[in-house]
Amino acid sequence: MATTSAAVDDSTHVQPTHDDPDRRGLTPGEHLVDGGYTSALIVLAARAQGIDLIGPLPPASDRRTREAKGFALTDFAIDWDAKSATCPRGEKSRYWGTTHVDGQPRTVVIFPEYGCRNCRVRPACTSGFTRRLTLHPREEHELLQRQRAEQNTDAWKQRYAKRAGVEGTICRATRRRTIRVNTPSGGSMLKV
């Protein structure tokens, strides 16, 4: 249990939460969390400790995925070894390079303007002259694709449903006065 300012991102507490029981030899095999505690990096770090972190990953942030219209990132074939991507119409990328987004490494893939400009389905793919993809590093990208697809299955939803029981228990407990204690700063926290 940790108490922090509301301005602190929840995801920053996953690793310390895993480290404490790990030091005592009590590493859980599975940890159910809500969406505020998931990212590819967090899931990979948990796996490195032998913990299966189960929680909904945020959807892909590209505009086509958000709008559920046209070609999304998942519609492109990525060949990491050849450093190339192929669009749903078969056009090969012309550029593969690296950049940083919010301090994190990313791969940028750009398709040839001549191919995009003359493409019959261009409006379903891009509003610009050419389509660009921004990819997480390979291990993160592959994990995101796999887990996003998996979390749409009934098996994953059934497994994650246990989290609803946890949330219900916490909600019920916090509605009772006996579980909360006041802190010196005037806030309150749950008793453990």
Side-chain angles (χ1 to χ4, degrees):
M1 167 81 63
T3 305
T4 66
S5 161
V8 174
D9 186 353
D10 293 342
S11 65
T12 62
H13 288 283
V14 175
Q15 192 61 48
T17 300
H18 291 165
D19 288 345
D20 185 47
D22 193 41
R23 277 191 291 277
R24 294 181 280 146
L26 301 170
T27 305
E30 169 176 285
H31 185 187
L32 297 164
V33 297
D34 68 32
Y37 297 91
T38 60
S39 75
L41 285 174
I42 293 170
V43 172
L44 289 171
R47 283 187 180 171
Q49 287 182 276
I51 301 168
D52 190 8
L53 189 73
I54 303 165
L57 285 167
S61 61
D62 65 293
R63 184 169 60 98
R64 299 293 175 186
T65 300
R66 285 192 316 267
E67 295 173 357
K69 294 180 188 172
F71 299 124
L73 176 62
T74 54
D75 296 317
F76 291 78
I78 309 298
D79 185 340
W80 292 92
D81 297 326
K83 295 187 176 184
S84 174
T86 306
C87 81
R89 301 267 304 153
E91 188 74 42
K92 295 262 189 217
S93 59
R94 70 167 172 82
Y95 174 82
W96 180 285
T98 58
T99 189
H100 284 79
V101 175
D102 297 329
Q104 298 298 316
R106 298 290 184 261
T107 297
V108 177
V109 179
I110 303 174
F111 287 83
E113 186 177 328
Y114 62 84
C116 291
R117 186 178 334 124
N118 299 320
C119 182
R120 291 183 293 119
V121 294
R122 184 171 137 218
C125 188
T126 184
S127 57
F129 291 114
T130 183
R131 179 66 187 251
R132 296 171 182 255
L133 304 176
T134 304
L135 310 173
H136 286 78
R138 184 177 186 167
E139 188 177 18
E140 293 175 46
H141 174 82
E142 290 173 349
L143 174 121
L144 288 168
Q145 301 310 309
R146 208 172 35 254
Q147 288 216 190
R148 284 177 177 146
E150 185 181 321
Q151 70 191 32
N152 288 321
T153 66
D154 289 338
W156 187 92
K157 291 173 185 176
Q158 187 174 13
R159 187 176 181 199
Y160 187 68
K162 292 182 252 178
R163 176 74 186 169
V166 171
E167 292 291 339
T169 301
I170 292 170
C171 180
R172 183 167 174 91
T174 58
R175 290 175 190 256
R176 298 183 53 102
R177 290 182 157 190
T178 57
I179 197 166
R180 289 204 177 266
V181 293
N182 291 328
T183 63
S185 64
S188 69
M189 63 183 261
L190 297 178
K191 281 195 238 177
V192 259

